[in-house]
Amino acid sequence: MSKILVLYHSNSGNTQKMAELVAEGARQLEGTEVRLKDVSNADHNDLVWCDGIACGSPTNYGSVSWQMKQWWDQQPIENWGKLDGKIGCVFTSAGAWGGGQEWTCMTLLSILINYGFLVFGVTDYTGVRTEARKLVGGLG
Ligand SMILES: Cc1cc2nc3c(=O)[nH]c(=O)nc-3n(C[C@H](O)[C@H](O)[C@H](O)COP(=O)(O)O)c2cc1C
């Protein structure tokens, strides 16, 4: 059984929709238990509980929303160094192309890394592969 925490903050609902889709995807994996939580109703027990986290914030001024940053800033120091080795990934919603979403994601990743989460890369773009892409890349 894998326990996945989908932790998000959303001002106007877009990141929330993304979080719901991430949770929906995670639930499709057999043997996975998912908690979908806004920062207003999540606490350090959720971090202790999970094996992995997907953390999402809107891009605000090219960075993480203050509500998400505050949530991490207020985590009890007693947890520090005790939760290392869990898996982490991040997502963001932004209004513009080149609106700073990569910075937001890097900032979220930096928070997770500081907290002891392991983050990872993949060797190709993720997402649904189109028929055209299959033809060009032959990647299936
Ligand atoms: C205070 C504030 C700052 C924002 N800063 C950016 C920004 O730097 N870059 C960008 O592309 N969009 C920016 N936006 C737009 C939001 O990122 C975008 O609307 C996002 O989808 C909102 O997500 P949410 O509905 O989860 O709050 C900003 C919005 C607000 C309210």
Side-chain angles (χ1 to χ4, degrees), residues 8-17 57-63 92-101:
Y8 71 94
H9 168 252
S10 183
N11 285 308
S12 51
N14 295 330
T15 314
Q16 180 178 355
K17 279 183 205 152
S57 163
T59 291
N60 285 169
Y61 302 113
S63 194
T92 186
S93 171
W97 294 111
Q101 45 274 66

Side-chain angles (χ1 to χ4, degrees), residues 65-137:
S65 71
W66 66 263
Q67 291 91 339
M68 176 58 80
K69 179 65 163 52
Q70 183 187 59
W71 191 88
W72 286 98
D73 287 355
Q74 290 179 338
Q75 287 310 299
I77 195 69
E78 292 75 20
N79 269 358
W80 191 256
K82 292 186 184 164
L83 306 180
D84 295 28
K86 297 169 188 261
I87 302 297
C89 66
V90 301
F91 55 96
T92 186
S93 171
W97 294 111
Q101 45 274 66
E102 285 165 325
W103 283 9
T104 305
C105 284
M106 292 307 284
T107 304
L108 286 169
L109 288 173
S110 176
I111 292 171
L112 295 187
I113 290 167
N114 270 273
Y115 214 84
F117 283 88
L118 303 177
V119 302
F120 57 93
V122 290
T123 55
D124 199 355
Y125 295 105
T126 55
V128 177
R129 294 198 169 117
T130 64
E131 287 306 309
R133 184 167 165 70
K134 279 186 207 168
L135 286 174
V136 172

